[in-house]
Amino acid sequence: MSAATALLAIHGTVAPLVAAADDKEFDPNDVTPGVWGFVITFAIMVAVVLLVLDMTRRIRRTNYRAEVQQELAREMAESAAADAQTDAAASGAANGGPSNGDADAPGRDAASGDEPTR
């Protein structure tokens, strides 16, 4: 049997079914998604909401970690600067120069020993 003959045979079989389907009155209840359509749509919605909540939690955690790392880096820089000042003051005192506790050192207030305010 050739392809053309097979197509004609199928057309002859399907054509009466299509004609019979056209004779029926249109029933809108036959084309609604029904209960299963609602259940599947609701399940997809729940999955999307859970994914959004998880994504938000992960983004917040990443932002908090970045803030903490910046804070630690700033504190380490301040600590290194304070250590450098202490080392410089200690080497200056060992060489006979003014120490940090010397109230007569230049740039310090003689009455309190504090740095002058601006």
Side-chain angles (χ1 to χ4, degrees):
M1 194 190 276
S2 70
T5 310
L7 287 176
L8 288 174
I10 292 173
H11 177 67
T13 309
V14 175
L17 295 175
V18 173
D22 289 340
D23 292 341
K24 287 185 178 179
E25 176 178 318
F26 177 71
D27 186 14
N29 291 329
D30 289 340
V31 294
T32 61
V35 174
W36 284 110
F38 172 76
V39 169
I40 291 171
T41 304
F42 186 78
I44 290 173
M45 181 193 65
V46 168
V48 167
V49 167
L50 291 175
L51 286 172
V52 167
L53 290 174
D54 183 56
M55 180 186 63
T56 304
R57 182 178 53 96
R58 290 174 187 264
I59 289 173
R60 282 184 184 157
R61 185 184 311 154
T62 303
N63 288 340
Y64 291 147
R65 285 181 180 170
E67 288 175 8
V68 167
Q69 287 176 351
Q70 288 176 350
E71 179 85 15
L72 289 173
R74 184 184 57 80
E75 288 177 2
M76 288 176 62
E78 288 175 357
S79 175
D83 288 344
Q85 283 181 342
T86 304
D87 291 343
S91 66
N95 294 334
S99 66
N100 284 342
D102 191 4
D104 296 329
R108 297 208 171 260
D109 185 14
S112 65
D114 292 333
E115 291 287 327
T117 57
R118 294 181 185 194

